[in-house]
Amino acid sequence: MRMVDIITKKRDGQELTDEEISFFIKGYVAGEIPDYQASALLMAIVFKGMTNREIVTLTDRMEHSGETMDLSAIEGIKVDKHSTGGVGDKTTLAVGPMVAACGAKVAKMSGRGLGHTGGTLDKLESIPGMNVFETEEEFIAQMNKIGIAVVGQTGTLVPADKKLYALRDVTGTVESLPLIASSIMSKKLASGTNCIELDVKFGNGAFMKNVHDARELAKTMVAIGNSLGRDTRAILTDMAQPLGYAVGNSLEVKEAIDTLHGHGPEDFTELCLHSGAVMLHQAKIAKTFEEGEAMIKEVVANGKAFEKFRELVIAQGGDVSYIDHPEKFEVSKNVIEIHAKNSGFVKEIVALEIGESAMRLGAGRETFDDVIDMSAGIVLAKKIGDKVAKGDLLCTVYTNKEKEEYEPVIADIEKAFKVVNVFVEKPKVIEEYIH
Ligand code: URA
């Protein structure tokens, strides 16, 4: 078999065989296929696409390009969730403990933030002492003891994705449905859980800018997961405005704590209920989606969800006094309020702008080596559809940067808010449930 024949076959729009896909992945990971040939094939895939069978095979070969996690030593059905990334997306921090408090096994492998979206690992690390790296043995022991662990994925999983993603990043081949779907799903499958819930976000703050593309991606990933023997479901959620009020690491942890106590923002609470109910149904703990929602409400009301979060923090070495007394989290030295310049209804809060601004205030990283300021970020006071009077607080900005650095950011945050003088309906958070 020759790589050049595989490239020309895809260039001409033909379907690759399983053997040809295996040849490519094995050869590329082994260093036998050079980057220039791999890039050519990736570009041909960008233009010609792949059939569902090709995508399933590609994902399977990527999944098995390195080690895979064996979670069979953990009793019960293991569930994982994955968000395609958003602004203010602290869902794992709240929904993980909620679902685990209902008895599901939440084995969560998370990532770090880059660009305008934050990462769960960074958010967790804003709790002093919190360790997000565990050995497989520690992970399994924690899962059996408390039913939840949230850790970083080990470096030995899916080497094909690491190599291919780095190449895609510099060859203009990231934006391709088969390549995105196989990249995400190979990592989720290698993590070894029985069930996968995908939160596919759409809107200006998300990877997929419109609902149509997000739906296609979600359907493809659900089909891949189910074809490869895992119960995979997806929810499509709106990311035109930030999720909840808080954007920034420790600010989001505090909001997750509020939500676990039952007084979180409306949109975020709704997402947690919905997402959690799907996971409980997948784990066969709830017989119906509605029963799942009722169970989540109960563990929030009786304090068990919050208690589970405490257990998670203690198990991973975090200082639980910060969870019990969130006022202990350091507050940035500069706290700046932004007020409405006119009255009306909030029509837009451009999530991408808020996410990028939070990053520039210190809350995120532009490159993987940047150091994060855990206290920096933005807390919204209004959401789309809210009525405002001139002078009302729109948001509060937290930063340790100097004035010359943060002033242009404040101007951009102001521009992210659009207030109009006609009624604006509140957008729904959850667009669709795909299963
Ligand atoms: N996230 C991933 O993990 N892979 C992609 O290709 C795109 C987003």
Side-chain angles (χ1 to χ4, degrees), residues 336 338 341 353 357 360-361 397 405-417:
I336 306 118
I338 296 182
K341 294 200 170 70
E353 192 61 70
S357 297
R360 289 159 66 204
L361 293 167
V397 174
E405 262 188 289
Y406 74 67
E407 263 182 353
V409 186
I410 300 288
D412 286 338
I413 298 171
E414 280 174 348
K415 278 188 249 152
F417 281 86

Side-chain angles (χ1 to χ4, degrees), residues 166-181:
L167 188 63
R168 287 168 59 206
D169 211 18
V170 292
T171 55
T173 52
V174 169
E175 287 81 4
S176 152
L177 190 143
L179 297 179
I180 297 171

Side-chain angles (χ1 to χ4, degrees), residues 114-352:
L114 188 64
H116 72 279
T117 61
T120 302
L121 297 185
D122 301 319
K123 291 168 199 183
L124 275 177
E125 280 178 346
S126 70
I127 303 164
M130 197 75 183
N131 167 38
V132 293
F133 289 102
E134 293 188 338
T135 62
E136 199 165 329
E137 293 71 39
E138 287 168 338
F139 181 76
I140 289 170
Q142 182 176 326
M143 286 295 304
N144 276 328
K145 191 164 173 225
I146 65 167
I148 182 168
V150 184
V151 296
Q153 203 164 43
T154 64
T156 50
L157 301 187
V158 202
D161 182 62
K162 277 187 201 79
K163 239 185 132 176
L164 282 173
Y165 197 87
L167 188 63
R168 287 168 59 206
D169 211 18
V170 292
T171 55
T173 52
V174 169
E175 287 81 4
S176 152
L177 190 143
L179 297 179
I180 297 171
S182 55
S183 164
I184 294 175
M185 287 305 292
S186 59
K187 286 175 283 196
K188 288 286 108 183
L189 292 160
S191 301
T193 58
N194 311 96
C195 311
I196 301 162
E197 185 199 30
L198 302 160
D199 178 355
V200 181
K201 305 211 172 278
F202 63 91
N204 68 74
F207 199 67
M208 307 311 274
K209 300 297 173 204
N210 65 65
V211 68
H212 172 77
D213 292 348
R215 186 178 292 116
E216 286 310 299
L217 178 64
K219 281 187 175 166
T220 306
M221 293 197 292
V222 166
I224 295 172
N226 289 327
S227 303
L228 295 172
R230 315 291 171 90
D231 177 340
T232 308
R233 309 185 196 182
I235 48 177
L236 288 187
T237 63
D238 182 36
M239 191 32 75
Q241 66 175 336
L243 183 61
Y245 292 114
V247 180
N249 298 283
S250 65
L251 300 169
E252 292 189 42
V253 170
K254 287 198 259 185
E255 188 162 89
I257 293 170
D258 284 345
T259 308
L260 285 161
H261 282 306
H263 25 83
E266 205 180 308
D267 61 341
F268 181 52
T269 301
E270 189 188 331
L271 177 60
C272 288
L273 267 178
H274 199 104
S275 167
V278 172
M279 288 165 89
L280 288 177
H281 194 227
Q282 287 182 293
K284 300 195 180 357
I285 286 176
K287 283 193 262 332
T288 61
F289 177 79
E290 290 70 25
E291 189 185 6
E293 276 198 328
M295 290 172 92
I296 302 268
K297 281 184 187 159
E298 193 181 326
V299 290
V300 170
N302 65 19
K304 287 188 177 162
F306 175 68
E307 188 48 41
K308 190 55 79 179
F309 187 50
R310 292 185 82 253
E311 285 175 28
L312 171 69
V313 171
I314 293 167
Q316 294 187 205
D319 183 345
V320 80
S321 69
Y322 283 77
I323 307 308
D324 294 336
H325 303 284
E327 67 280 2
K328 276 186 76 172
F329 280 102
E330 186 200 313
V331 177
S332 298
K333 68 179 183 201
N334 300 305
V335 179
I336 306 118
E337 294 189 345
I338 296 182
H339 297 268
K341 294 200 170 70
N342 51 312
S343 303
F345 290 87
V346 180
K347 183 167 192 314
E348 263 187 68
I349 308 172
V350 183
L352 179 62

